[in-house]
Amino acid sequence: MGASRRQWGAAAPGSQLPWPTFCIVPWKPGSLAPVGQPYPLAETMPSPLVVDALRDQLVRVLDWYRHQRPAFGWGVVLHRRNERGKLRFGAVTPAGESLMLTQPLLAALATGPCWLDGAVRVRLTCRHISQNHPWLDALQRPDRPPLVEALAVCFDPDASAAECEAFQAMAGTLTPATLPSELFLLLKKRSSGWPL
């Protein structure tokens, strides 16, 4: 009976559908040697565990501020993510949505006041660090808005020196490679264009 299951087009155990032919390989013990991975594995998306951990941490921060000082109703975590071997900015929302940070999403964040970790008010702006060439622009995916290469984090001029000093590592122009840690940005309400 076991041999009949290995026939081309045989039904998978417990199902009525045949196995796809590329999944069925005749196998005899000792006939196949272990094969190593020829290329290093590169994550194209953050691990679901990382996304869940960032989301849980963001939800805890928002809950804490809702009970202490009802000022923040929504937030987002900006983090570093590896997208096809290139470091990019990623974003995680309170609903667990994980996406790459695009220029329109960053512009939507910049329209209202943001607080870094709920402690110091910041303004975010998009920065370009690479030279634009017409032939590179032609390679852009037309179905996706341009991604953020770098962002400037500017403290509110009214912020105290102690607040600015505590978050000094986050100030200035940051790229995904130079991001010192995740940025927890809290807002009074969700910015337009952002998912829940």
Side-chain angles (χ1 to χ4, degrees):
M1 177 157 170
S4 66
R5 294 250 185 239
R6 291 195 188 109
Q7 306 262 334
W8 295 97
S15 83
Q16 301 299 326
L17 299 174
W19 286 19
T21 56
F22 64 87
C23 292
I24 304 170
V25 177
W27 180 77
K28 295 177 187 167
S31 66
L32 296 175
V35 177
Q37 176 68 24
Y39 303 106
L41 296 174
E43 290 185 32
T44 58
M45 285 184 54
S47 161
L49 296 175
V50 171
V51 172
D52 286 344
L54 290 174
R55 178 203 164 275
D56 290 346
Q57 197 171 356
L58 176 62
V59 168
R60 275 187 265 128
V61 168
L62 287 169
D63 284 343
W64 187 83
Y65 275 111
R66 281 190 191 114
H67 293 106
Q68 298 296 321
R69 181 177 77 183
F72 306 115
W74 190 80
V76 63
V77 181
L78 301 184
H79 64 98
R80 173 187 352 211
R81 90 185 245 175
N82 187 339
E83 183 66 26
R84 296 189 177 124
K86 185 165 181 159
L87 290 178
R88 303 279 190 190
F89 284 110
V92 176
T93 67
E97 182 89 22
S98 173
L99 47 122
M100 287 193 295
L101 185 62
T102 63
Q103 291 178 13
L105 288 175
L106 184 61
L109 276 179
T111 60
C114 295
W115 282 264
L116 184 59
D117 285 353
V120 61
R121 190 172 169 175
V122 295
R123 186 173 40 89
L124 305 173
T125 56
C126 185
R127 295 282 190 250
H128 297 282
I129 56 173
S130 63
Q131 298 263 338
N132 288 343
H133 298 287
W135 62 273
L136 281 176
D137 292 340
L139 296 176
Q140 286 288 331
R141 290 176 40 186
D143 61 333
R144 181 173 70 186
L147 300 175
V148 174
E149 294 178 359
L151 61 91
V153 179
C154 305
F155 293 140
D156 188 312
D158 295 332
S160 71
E163 290 171 336
C164 294
E165 189 174 316
F167 294 98
Q168 192 60 40
M170 309 293 188
T173 300
L174 301 174
T175 65
T178 63
L179 188 65
S181 71
E182 294 84 12
L183 299 177
F184 284 80
L185 300 170
L186 306 182
L187 295 88
K188 292 186 178 184
K189 62 179 185 166
R190 181 174 60 92
S191 295
S192 64
W194 277 84
L196 296 173

